[in-house]
Amino acid sequence: MKSLKLTLAASALALAAGSAHADVILRTGVDGGDAVLAAGALDPFWDISVDGGTTYSDAKVAYPAQICCGMATAGPNAAWITDPSVTAGSSSTSWGVGNTVFLTRTFDLSGYDIDSVAMSGIWRVADNSVGIYINGNLVPGTTINTTWGSDFAISVLAGSGYFTNGINTIEMRGSSINSTWDAFWLDALVTGDSGEVPEPAALGLFGLGMLGLLAARRRRRK
């Protein structure tokens, strides 16, 4: 009987492991291993459009000469990224005054329990934030103008309805007041339960344990 209880306990743990907590990291200016990229490097995850969303290209990590007015206070886990037309030693990013610039990337939540998915982090846009959108929906509190002087928190609670099971899109929109020192910065974490189906081996182990327990009870009754 003791061995049967141990078997059931082990199989129960295996089943519990099938629904794991998982994270998706959303940062600007990092590579596939989440290491911060060097100035001038292209970001492999974020695409940017300076013509109103008609044409997109890989965003580029800003050069030190393009960092101004408190932008240097970005945290160690991410980097400022901007339009690839910028050149070393120049502050101009060619955003164009009054233009709305789009920065976008996708991330996969296939297999997640969508009702458990939440997002939190910090962000900034220089010069003006026009908003952060998830799957086309504006995140409240992200349409703050002239935000480059300090970081702002982003928070999307579980059960918000912003996320979908499968490919999701996050988009940051910004504009320039003088077409200099313009860039985006984000360091956020998407969390949720993966909702993975238990492995067949774990299900089989649990089933054998239950059959053994029933057989033992029958023998005791006899």
Side-chain angles (χ1 to χ4, degrees), residues 35-82:
V36 178
L37 295 166
L42 294 178
D43 188 305
F45 299 108
W46 293 88
D47 295 321
I48 191 168
S49 172
V50 295
D51 62 3
T54 301
T55 306
Y56 283 87
S57 57
D58 291 338
K60 185 161 87 171
V61 178
Y63 290 96
Q66 296 154 344
I67 298 176
C68 166
C69 316
M71 291 170 62
T73 60
N77 297 322
W80 286 93
I81 57 177
T82 187

